Amino acid sequence: MNKSALKFLLACALSMPWIAFGDSGVDPDFCAELRATNAEMATVIASIKQKKQGDAAFLRAMASSQKAWQKHVQAELAMQFPSSNLANYGSVLPMCQCVSALGLTQARVATLKQWLEPLEEGDVCVGSKR
């Protein structure tokens, strides 16, 4: 993979909010929804940190998990669009990357929200969610 393609994928996976793609034929709705979902994720993370502020071990584990998730998104995008010649994917590539990242980000937000939801009585496997 050439350096510019790697930089692009890294920027997509690690930026918060995600980068905008200008007027290059991108459906702004998908990228706008991705930015909104990233903002929601940041809010959820802040709420979890506030709730768990006295639990240093949990906060370290959550930070590690978030870094691993960001690498996962980067790897998924690289697997879906592996060619170093980005022209192989056409002008819709940025939109397609937004669509793919959006699904992954929505799933991450749903996972993180579990630490903010009320616990079910009798669930013995809640771990740090209490």
Side-chain angles (χ1 to χ4, degrees), residues 6 42 61 82 100:
L6 185 59
S100 296

Side-chain angles (χ1 to χ4, degrees), residues 2 8-9 16 33 35 67 72 90 98 104 106 113:
N2 69 29
F8 177 76
L9 290 174
M16 212 147 317
E33 190 173 350
R35 286 188 300 276
K67 285 179 186 175
H72 169 72
C98 285
L104 295 168
Q106 288 170 333
K113 282 183 175 181

Side-chain angles (χ1 to χ4, degrees), residues 68-110:
W69 176 78
Q70 290 170 336
K71 286 182 181 183
H72 169 72
V73 171
Q74 179 184 355
E76 289 294 313
L77 289 173
M79 181 175 69
Q80 187 171 0
F81 307 104
S83 177
S84 61
N85 182 3
L86 298 180
N88 288 341
Y89 305 111
S91 63
V92 297
L93 176 63
M95 180 196 68
C96 295
Q97 289 172 321
C98 285
V99 169
S100 296
L102 176 61
L104 295 168
T105 306
Q106 288 170 333
R108 180 64 175 173
V109 169

Side-chain angles (χ1 to χ4, degrees), residues 60-71:
R60 280 191 305 275
M62 185 176 76
S64 175
S65 176
Q66 192 64 15
K67 285 179 186 175
W69 176 78
Q70 290 170 336
K71 286 182 181 183

Side-chain angles (χ1 to χ4, degrees), residues 112-130:
L112 291 169
K113 282 183 175 181
Q114 294 176 42
W115 274 264
L116 300 175
E117 295 171 356
L119 299 176
E120 213 174 286
E121 187 70 29
D123 187 350
V124 296
C125 296
V126 294
S128 65
K129 296 174 191 170
R130 39 177 116 237

